[in-house]
Amino acid sequence: MSVRAISDIERGKSVPRQATLRELMDALELDESERRHLAQASVRRTERIPRQLPPDLAAFRGREEALAAAHSITSQIDVPGAHVVIGAVGGMAGVGKTTLAVHWAHQVADGFPDGQLYVNLRGFEASGRPMDPAEALGRFLSALGVPSAEMPNTMEARSALFREQSSSRKLIVVLDNARDAEQVRPLLPASAGCLTIITSRNQLSGLVATEGASRISLDVWSRSEALAALAARMGDERCRAEPEAASRLVELCGFLPLAVAVVGAQLRAAPGMALSLAVQELLETLPRLDALSGDDQQVDVRAVFSWSYQALTTEKARFFRLLAVHPGPAVSVEAAASLAAVEMPTARRHLRDLVSTSLLSRDADGRYVMHDLVRAYGAELLEREKDDRLGAETRLLDYLRHNAHTATLIMDTRPWEELADSPARGVVRVAIADRTEAMDWFHQEDAAAIATLHSTQHPQLLRHRVQLVHAWRSYLIVSGRWTEQESIQRIGLDASLVLDEPSSIARTSATLARALVLTGRLDQVDEQVDIMAGLLHRLDRQTRAHTEHNLAWVLHRQGRYSESVHHSRSALAIYRTLPEPNDVARALNDLGWRLAQIGDYREALACCEEALPIFQSNGNLCDEAATWDSIAYARQSMGDVSGAVVDYRKCLDILEEVFDPYNQADVLDHLATAQLLLGDGEQARASWMRAATLLQSLGSPLAAEMTTKAEAVGRPLREGA
């Protein structure tokens, strides 16, 4: 760290990067409790400037022409009337796109005081599952201080909020490993003071044509650049002592930066090894890594990986092979330890050693990244050595589902099912003390869990996959990520159908239907309605009640009100035979609301008034607020508009207490309608404007609708004047 960086930390102007902090904790060999306390102490309690760039490469060499082009692109930001500045770095795998982008960003970071955002979009990962732009936007908005409760659900709304949040900032935004232009467009900031740097194997010609992106194309290194990089990693003296062998080494690496980095790290670890011997081993090592085979048969990256692998101890080699089972873009220490069934200190030690040999790198969060080509090589070794892949996959699933279950309980959310089994031996159980730590753990393992669900296919793990889908459900709901919810619920539904478990089928089908409704695809919901309805006779009473309730919700959203009321009545009848009063009260309120939609206001009011004291006796404020809203709607529909206004205000008071701005805006819309019926246009206008303000703070497109309603109230008054 520079003197300036340390000085800024001491004076409270900045906080250390998490990757730097983890390096310090590793060096001090702190135990888990000490690591946790130091990590908590390092977090500033006030607003922070995001600094998400991965560390710069100390051994960066060459690329003068590309860097000159990069700085020419950056200089456009200071030109009066400049447009949004985008630099797209392209080239083949392993050519150093990310290294150049990160180095460029570090060089110019001082000119962007509002920080740096970074995301690996996983456009060309082995899993074949690029990151959804909505997920990347969620991470950016969180880094810019948007609370999870205020996070929009849709990609479009998140993109609009990100443009708003970045409009007055000077940021560097690094979009690494992009799949195509469509993945990138929603992530572009709107401010001309921002610099966006994109890396991709794709040409991104659409961005060049429509967004004016400037492209920097990287090829493999020149011989002189590759030699300079090799010397920087293993020492100038050795290259000068054997110049022909050094030149032959980088030639055998195909001048590919990734391969040269691995060779250099391995030679640094073997200072007595002659370069000529290294050349001979590379020539004799077969077979070749298919992913990088080409016309030049001397370019053998698998041989380079093999050379690094052969230098590992037996214990570290096994750890490396099992690490290749992890399908996500980055692996945490806890997940790595679980995969290999080793203790946490051992996992940390192995991971550090693999980083030192360039078989792994670290991301901005301090997690460990395995290049997709290295992972492919590790998977080949796993097969060759006949390691227990099924055992490793089982431990990874156990790590994810058991800790997710614990985190869900900490978040005060009732899991869909209890886990009757214990995790496999060697699986790490994470200590989670509060809701913040629960959300942090979910965020850390989110990409890994989704990648694992998509990649794990062994039939013996079907039930584990279904349970992981259930365990991840609440987190995705809280995060408002309905696109990802749909994706994993389809996986869970397919597995549940194979297992023929009615309860699990009903649960996954219900969540999938909800996700389809909330992403605007009502035309795809009928299949899920049929699945749930066809299962009712096979379900236990509680699960049947939940399923009847879910059917009522979906059918109501489809406008099938009579059918919705039928299923609401069925759910209520079953809940009355079960011991949980809150379920009865929720069913009463839901039935009341649906009865009101078909004009049966008296029964609707009776249902809601029966539910209200149950919620009040249990301190269930959110459901109490919803019931007051239902009561007010029924009163208003029956002609008691003044009484409805009183009830709407009771509802708003509770929603303000629990800080629920989205539903506040919804109820303010109802209140304004009642106020207008009473002839109080001024109050109606004020209610709609307040609703618009709340929705604007959430980035909701409904804000414009509220503003239009408010302005419509004022227009006749102005025209009359």
Side-chain angles (χ1 to χ4, degrees):
M1 296 178 66
S2 68
V3 172
R4 176 178 175 182
I6 296 171
S7 175
D8 285 346
I9 292 171
E10 289 178 334
R11 289 181 288 127
K13 293 182 64 177
S14 67
V15 295
R17 290 193 184 98
Q18 288 300 304
T20 304
L21 188 65
R22 288 188 175 91
E23 294 282 2
L24 176 61
M25 293 190 290
D26 290 347
L28 295 175
E29 298 185 352
L30 302 183
D31 62 26
E32 297 306 311
S33 176
E34 291 167 333
R35 294 174 71 89
R36 185 173 172 188
H37 281 97
L38 182 55
Q40 290 174 341
S42 73
V43 179
R44 182 182 291 173
R45 301 305 174 188
T46 57
E47 183 179 353
R48 291 180 294 171
I49 294 174
R51 301 195 186 279
Q52 298 184 335
L53 288 179
D56 198 4
L57 183 65
F60 188 94
R61 295 292 187 277
R63 300 300 194 194
E64 285 83 6
E65 184 176 341
L67 283 173
H71 288 296
S72 175
I73 293 170
T74 308
S75 67
Q76 299 173 27
I77 289 177
D78 297 322
V79 176
H83 59 286
V84 176
V85 177
I86 303 170
V89 182
M92 66 177 289
V95 80
K97 301 181 292 295
T98 298
T99 301
L100 175 69
V102 170
H103 185 70
W104 172 10
H106 276 286
Q107 283 194 322
V108 301
D110 286 345
F112 298 85
D114 296 314
Q116 314 100 36
L117 297 171
Y118 171 91
V119 65
N120 177 3
L121 293 172
R122 307 197 301 270
F124 295 89
E125 296 283 353
S127 66
R129 302 292 303 184
M131 180 182 289
D132 191 297
E135 180 182 353
L137 286 164
R139 296 183 182 188
F140 283 175
L141 291 170
S142 294
L144 293 174
V146 176
S148 59
E150 301 176 14
M151 192 73 67
N153 289 335
T154 66
M155 186 271 289
E156 291 78 10
R158 289 185 180 187
S159 183
L161 182 57
F162 176 60
R163 291 194 297 272
E164 178 185 326
Q165 289 283 326
S166 61
S167 62
S168 60
R169 288 179 161 101
K170 291 197 71 174
L171 291 164
I172 297 175
V173 180
V174 180
L175 306 175
D176 194 15
N177 198 9
R179 181 72 176 183
D180 50 33
E182 296 307 312
Q183 185 188 29
V184 165
R185 282 195 177 92
L187 308 176
L188 300 177
S191 170
C194 292
L195 169 64
T196 302
I197 304 173
I198 306 166
T199 74
S200 179
R201 299 182 203 177
N202 191 300
Q203 292 291 318
L204 301 180
S205 54
L207 285 182
V208 176
T210 60
E211 271 74 31
S214 300
R215 182 169 174 80
I216 300 175
S217 296
L218 292 187
D219 200 349
V220 296
W221 273 327
S222 66
R223 187 178 299 272
S224 61
E225 286 179 322
L227 283 169
L230 183 65
R233 286 165 172 80
M234 69 176 191
D236 289 329
E237 299 82 2
R238 295 174 75 181
C239 284
R240 287 197 299 267
E242 296 184 80
E244 291 184 4
S247 181
R248 184 66 171 138
L249 274 176
V250 297
E251 184 178 294
L252 289 171
C253 291
F255 309 114
L256 186 70
L258 174 62
V260 173
V262 174
V263 168
Q266 190 59 41
L267 286 169
R268 185 178 65 233
M273 185 178 189
L275 300 190
S276 58
L277 178 59
V279 169
Q280 191 64 31
E281 289 191 6
L282 277 175
L283 287 170
E284 294 175 354
T285 302
L286 293 173
R288 303 181 185 279
L289 187 64
D290 296 336
L292 280 181
S293 294
D295 295 335
D296 182 358
Q297 296 300 304
Q298 291 180 320
V299 179
D300 187 356
V301 175
R302 180 184 281 116
V304 174
F305 295 156
S306 172
W307 186 20
S308 290
Y309 171 74
Q310 290 169 7
L312 300 175
T313 65
T314 301
E315 185 183 10
K316 288 187 179 69
R318 173 186 174 274
F319 184 86
F320 169 74
R321 296 194 302 270
L322 292 174
L323 205 60
V325 173
H326 193 282
V331 60
S332 65
V333 179
E334 295 88 350
S338 299
L339 274 165
V342 299
E343 298 294 328
M344 291 279 286
T346 301
R348 284 200 182 90
R349 188 164 60 250
H350 290 343
L351 289 166
R352 288 200 301 270
D353 290 344
L354 292 174
V355 168
S356 70
T357 58
S358 294
L359 287 171
L360 294 179
S361 61
R362 299 189 81 172
D363 66 10
D365 295 320
R367 290 172 297 184
Y368 294 85
V369 179
M370 180 178 281
H371 190 278
D372 53 357
L373 299 175
V374 178
R375 182 181 290 110
Y377 176 68
E380 290 180 1
L381 293 173
L382 191 77
E383 184 71 21
R384 189 185 76 190
E385 297 297 327
K386 301 188 184 320
D387 289 303
D388 184 8
R389 184 184 187 96
L390 177 59
E393 290 181 336
T394 301
R395 289 190 295 273
L396 178 59
L397 282 163
D398 279 358
Y399 164 74
L400 293 168
R401 66 192 180 97
H402 278 275
N403 286 300
H405 187 269
T406 300
T408 300
L409 289 172
I410 294 292
M411 289 165 57
D412 297 325
T413 304
R414 184 174 62 187
W416 268 17
E417 64 178 336
E418 294 298 326
L419 298 180
D421 65 329
S422 298
R425 184 177 180 181
V427 171
V428 174
R429 298 301 298 268
V430 179
I432 301 174
D434 54 35
R435 182 183 177 87
T436 299
E437 290 185 1
M439 292 296 290
D440 286 345
W441 182 85
F442 270 120
H443 178 72
Q444 171 184 285
E445 301 296 354
D446 184 41
I450 293 176
T452 299
L453 284 169
H454 283 287
S455 65
T456 307
Q457 302 297 329
H458 199 286
Q460 291 185 31
L461 298 177
L462 274 177
R463 184 163 283 102
H464 283 62
R465 295 174 72 202
V466 170
Q467 289 176 339
L468 181 56
V469 168
H470 293 335
W472 228 256
R473 169 182 173 273
S474 294
Y475 169 68
L476 292 178
I477 289 175
V478 170
S479 303
R481 291 165 50 200
W482 293 104
T483 301
E484 295 94 330
Q485 186 81 273
E486 178 207 347
S487 175
I488 73 163
Q489 293 299 328
R490 287 192 186 280
I491 292 172
L493 179 58
D494 289 344
S496 299
L497 288 168
V498 172
L499 293 169
D500 193 27
E501 294 184 346
S503 176
S504 184
I505 295 170
R507 289 167 171 171
T508 50
S509 180
T511 306
L512 175 56
R514 188 175 292 260
L516 291 169
V517 167
L518 293 175
T519 52
R521 286 173 286 175
L522 286 169
D523 57 316
Q524 300 180 30
V525 175
D526 284 344
E527 180 183 358
Q528 305 311 317
V529 170
D530 292 342
I531 288 174
M532 286 186 280
L535 284 171
L536 291 175
H537 68 285
R538 299 181 61 191
L539 301 174
D540 61 76
R541 284 190 302 160
Q542 186 174 57
T543 307
R544 173 162 184 163
H546 293 334
T547 306
E548 297 270 16
H549 169 82
N550 289 323
L551 275 169
W553 187 91
V554 174
L555 291 166
H556 182 84
R557 288 300 190 105
Q558 289 185 306
R560 297 161 65 177
Y561 299 124
S562 296
E563 294 173 78
S564 175
V565 167
H566 168 74
H567 286 287
S568 280
R569 290 190 188 279
S570 297
L572 175 59
I574 299 172
Y575 281 131
R576 288 192 186 278
T577 69
L578 299 173
E580 177 53 58
N582 269 318
D583 285 340
V584 174
R586 289 190 191 98
L588 282 165
N589 181 42
D590 289 338
L591 175 58
W593 177 256
R594 293 185 175 97
L595 286 168
Q597 306 307 302
I598 62 173
D600 195 344
Y601 304 120
R602 293 194 180 280
E603 187 182 357
L605 195 59
C607 287
C608 294
E609 288 176 340
E610 183 183 349
L612 194 60
I614 300 175
F615 290 136
Q616 291 171 333
S617 65
N618 291 327
N620 192 333
L621 293 176
C622 292
D623 285 320
E624 181 187 347
T627 306
W628 279 119
D629 184 44
S630 300
I631 290 172
Y633 180 83
R635 288 195 197 283
Q636 179 177 329
S637 301
M638 294 169 66
D640 184 7
V641 182
S642 297
V645 168
V646 172
D647 293 334
Y648 283 135
R649 293 196 182 281
K650 290 177 182 177
C651 177
L652 284 170
D653 289 342
I654 297 173
L655 291 173
E656 288 178 3
E657 182 180 346
V658 299
F659 189 66
D660 186 346
Y662 185 86
N663 282 311
Q664 282 184 59
D666 190 43
V667 176
L668 281 165
D669 182 26
H670 301 165
L671 174 61
T673 302
Q675 290 168 330
L676 200 61
L677 288 172
L678 291 174
D680 196 342
E682 184 177 347
Q683 285 294 322
R685 177 181 172 85
S687 295
W688 271 317
M689 288 304 297
R690 186 179 165 203
T693 300
L694 288 168
L695 291 169
Q696 284 169 354
S697 71
L698 298 174
S700 171
L702 293 174
E705 180 183 337
M706 298 299 107
T707 301
T708 300
K709 288 182 178 181
E711 291 174 347
V713 173
R715 193 175 300 120
L717 297 175
R718 290 194 296 272
E719 290 172 356

